[in-house]
Each structure stands twice: as C-alpha cells, then as structure tokens.
Amino acid sequence: MIKFKVEVNQNKCIGCGACTTVCDNFKLVNGKSQPKQKVVPENKLECDLKAKQICPVKAISVTEIR
Ligand code: SF4
C-alpha cells in the first residue's frame, strides 16, 4: 500500500477551519490546522485530498512517501 505524507504549512494556514469541515483528519490547534495522522495510506486519502483542494491559501500538501 502506497502511503502519503500530509502536512499543513503553519506559516500559510489562516485557521479558517474549512479543512476540518470536510476531513476529520484535521484539527485546529491554537488557531492553526494540523493533521491528526501525518502518514495516510492511499485508501484513506480521499478526504485529505478534498481538504487540500478547498484550502483557500493552499497550506495543505499531500506527498507520496517513497
Ligand atoms: Fe488552514 Fe487551509 Fe485548513 Fe483553513 S483550510 S484551517 S487555511 S489548512
């Protein structure tokens, strides 16, 4: 199973909370989003990708771990 690293750029995140509404892998900590699980298998990645898509400041990155 391919795994992916999910990260939130803390400098870019404006704490809008949009990612937390579409994916329960994100939580707000001190006004910034953080992934609960930083390593996500491919079959659980769908909502993380949705969160990445809707983030207004493109703070979320999803990269394949090789
Ligand atoms: Fe931060 Fe983007 Fe999530 Fe908004 S959607 S809380 S800016 S990571």
Side-chain angles (χ1 to χ4, degrees), residues 12-23:
K12 284 188 183 173
C13 176
I14 56 171
C16 70
C19 55
T20 65
T21 68
V22 297
C23 184

Side-chain angles (χ1 to χ4, degrees), residues 1-49:
M1 176 70 69
I2 302 169
K3 291 185 175 175
F4 291 80
K5 186 161 53 158
V6 177
E7 294 172 295
V8 176
N9 183 322
Q10 298 295 295
N11 295 322
K12 284 188 183 173
C13 176
I14 56 171
C16 70
C19 55
T20 65
T21 68
V22 297
C23 184
D24 66 5
N25 192 32
F26 294 90
K27 61 177 180 200
L28 288 177
V29 179
N30 297 325
K32 304 273 184 175
S33 174
Q34 284 180 11
K36 295 177 190 168
Q37 292 202 322
K38 294 180 170 70
V39 176
V40 179
E42 193 175 20
N43 64 346
K44 298 262 168 66
L45 200 65
E46 197 178 330
C47 83
D48 295 271
L49 289 175

